[in-house]
Amino acid sequence: MKIFEYMEKYDYEQVVFCHDEASGLKAIIAIHDTTLGPALGGTRMWTYETEEMAIEDALRLARGMTYKAAAAGLNLGGGKTVLIGNPKTDKSEALFRALGRYVESLNGRYITAEDVGTTEADMNYIHMETEYVTGVSVEYGSSGNPSPMTALGCFRGLQAAAKAAFGSDDVSGKTVAVQGVGNVGYYLCKHLHEAGAKLIVTDINQESIDRVVREFGAEVVAPNDIFGVQCDIFAPCALGAIINDETIPQLKCKVIAGSSNNQLREERHGDLIHEMGIYYAPDYVINAGGLINVAVELEGYNENLARKKVENIYNIISTIFDISKRDNIPTYKAADRMAEDRINQLKNTRSNFLKTERSLLSK
């Protein structure tokens, strides 16, 4: 990877390489864009095959966070930390405190949080070195498990997609196929069940399956069969890249609306489902409830305010469908356009202000 070429292509601001020999720290902090506010993005710990793969993942994820925050209407930018190591064997207090010192050195340009491979306890160690971290224990001011808020936003976004597809956001009597019923998927099933939807579910964890069958009367199918079930709405809440050349021909749904990240394997798959008349709720918008919740946490947590902002995902998804219809473009492009427009408007405003300020100073 030619890192500066990549940064120039996608307009990244900063990449920080973090190393601490004593603790074994090897991490990359990527800051994509801080036009709207400080970059926010979690710390992901993973056993990458190569350092290049770790760098690429950090860059890709940071850019995704910029779009997610912008589309959600938040005054935050996009960033991400990738920590190279085995989350089962390589963790230590020293490791995360060393990372915390690097986060602190950025003076608020970047705020980190929990992500794949890291936990609340890890964030507590980072918190010992910096205030620029969320997802810490409740006693430090955290709002706790973000899954219920993520699921609430997903449910409201699903309702907006249903209204676009069926003319009503009432999902009672609708069949919803949910792929993955872990933390977020479980709470989404709860909302759907209470709203009168029929559930068809799958998961690789039998305990999770047993729970939604027992509590919500869900029907169960094998993991590979979920794509082809006859349903009104398909809700992917597990793996990414599940909308691809193999699965698209199997789909028998009118709506795709779920919480998993990076659902489209390639952008062209978004074009394909658009041509098929499937209403797709872009993943980084519909699953932004957790991020919105964290944004409220940064200002002093108020649950009622957080819930109100998360429920606004309904209106954001509705706007995306309006743009898609108006401009005759797939919804993933409509979401990107909405996010980019917001960022560019503020960039232009700041640019004009600086020009005026320089002009006045030169007189």
Side-chain angles (χ1 to χ4, degrees):
M1 170 189 283
K2 296 182 178 179
I3 189 165
F4 282 107
E5 286 186 11
Y6 192 96
M7 290 177 70
E8 184 176 0
K9 181 179 180 181
Y10 295 109
D11 202 20
Y12 286 83
E13 294 181 8
Q14 187 175 6
V15 177
V16 181
F17 293 90
C18 313
H19 176 253
D20 179 71
E21 185 176 359
S23 65
L25 175 71
K26 292 181 180 179
I28 302 103
I29 300 174
I31 297 176
H32 177 248
D33 190 289
T34 58
T35 301
L36 299 176
L40 175 65
T43 293
R44 176 169 294 194
M45 187 172 189
W46 198 253
T47 50
Y48 292 92
E49 292 182 16
T50 65
E51 292 177 359
E52 185 178 71
M53 290 175 67
I55 295 167
E56 186 175 356
D57 203 28
L59 290 166
R60 179 182 59 83
L61 292 166
R63 183 167 177 257
M65 290 301 295
T66 295
Y67 279 75
K68 178 176 283 194
L74 301 175
N75 295 320
L76 293 168
K80 207 75 174 183
T81 297
V82 157
L83 178 56
I84 300 173
N86 189 324
K88 294 183 179 179
T89 59
D90 295 338
K91 290 185 178 183
S92 68
E93 176 183 348
L95 181 78
F96 286 102
R97 292 187 68 167
L99 178 58
R101 290 191 289 274
Y102 274 101
V103 173
E104 176 67 16
S105 74
L106 292 168
N107 296 314
R109 276 176 52 75
Y110 169 68
I111 303 165
T112 196
E114 187 178 333
D115 203 316
V116 174
T118 58
T119 66
E120 181 182 289
D122 303 328
M123 297 306 107
N124 287 344
Y125 286 135
I126 292 175
H127 188 257
M128 292 177 182
E129 302 290 342
T130 182
E131 64 179 305
Y132 302 118
V133 57
T134 66
V136 294
S137 296
V138 174
E139 55 264 32
Y140 294 130
S142 169
S143 58
N145 181 8
S147 296
M149 283 296 189
T150 303
L152 173 62
C154 186
F155 174 66
R156 294 294 285 145
L158 182 150
Q159 286 183 305
K163 185 174 182 179
F166 307 116
S168 171
D169 60 15
D170 183 2
V171 296
S172 62
K174 293 285 189 291
T175 299
V176 184
V178 183
Q179 180 195 35
V181 290
N183 287 333
V184 176
Y186 166 79
Y187 287 106
L188 176 60
C189 286
K190 186 174 188 293
H191 286 297
L192 290 165
H193 175 69
E194 291 172 352
K198 176 187 176 184
L199 296 171
I200 301 175
V201 303
T202 196
D203 199 292
I204 58 173
N205 186 309
Q206 191 58 47
E207 288 184 9
S208 297
I209 286 288
D210 292 343
R211 187 183 185 189
V212 295
V213 170
R214 181 176 65 252
E215 295 185 21
F216 311 133
E219 178 185 337
V220 181
V221 297
N224 289 335
D225 294 338
I226 194 70
F227 305 103
V229 300
Q230 190 73 49
C231 62
D232 299 295
I233 301 166
F234 173 46
C237 298
L239 304 174
I242 46 78
I243 306 300
N244 54 56
D245 290 334
E246 292 73 36
T247 61
I248 287 175
Q250 301 178 52
L251 296 174
K252 297 182 179 67
C253 61
K254 189 68 174 176
V255 171
I256 298 175
S259 66
S260 61
N261 288 306
N262 304 314
Q263 293 171 24
L264 304 175
R265 178 166 288 176
E266 299 174 30
E267 288 188 348
R268 65 182 180 86
H269 295 123
D271 299 324
L272 283 173
I273 57 176
H274 176 70
E275 292 166 5
M276 293 168 63
I278 294 176
Y279 289 71
Y280 168 61
D283 47 37
Y284 70 80
V285 183
I286 196 172
N287 68 13
L291 176 62
I292 294 169
N293 192 60
V294 164
V296 175
E297 194 175 297
L298 293 172
E299 300 168 358
Y301 192 65
N302 180 308
E303 184 177 351
N304 290 331
L305 177 61
R307 182 173 291 274
K308 182 178 180 180
K309 289 190 173 186
V310 168
E311 291 202 356
N312 190 52
I313 287 175
Y314 180 101
N315 296 319
I316 298 170
I317 292 291
S318 295
T319 299
I320 288 169
F321 281 114
D322 289 342
I323 295 170
S324 173
K325 183 177 180 180
R326 181 194 68 200
D327 298 345
N328 193 28
I329 57 175
T331 50
Y332 80 90
K333 288 184 178 178
D336 287 355
R337 183 173 296 179
M338 184 176 69
E340 289 164 358
D341 285 349
R342 182 167 180 248
I343 293 168
N344 290 334
Q345 284 173 11
L346 190 53
K347 277 185 177 178
N348 292 335
T349 300
R350 286 184 174 176
S351 177
N352 291 335
F353 174 79
L354 290 173
K355 286 178 182 177
T356 302
E357 189 176 51
R358 291 191 192 102
S359 177
L360 291 172
L361 289 172
S362 64
K363 291 180 179 180

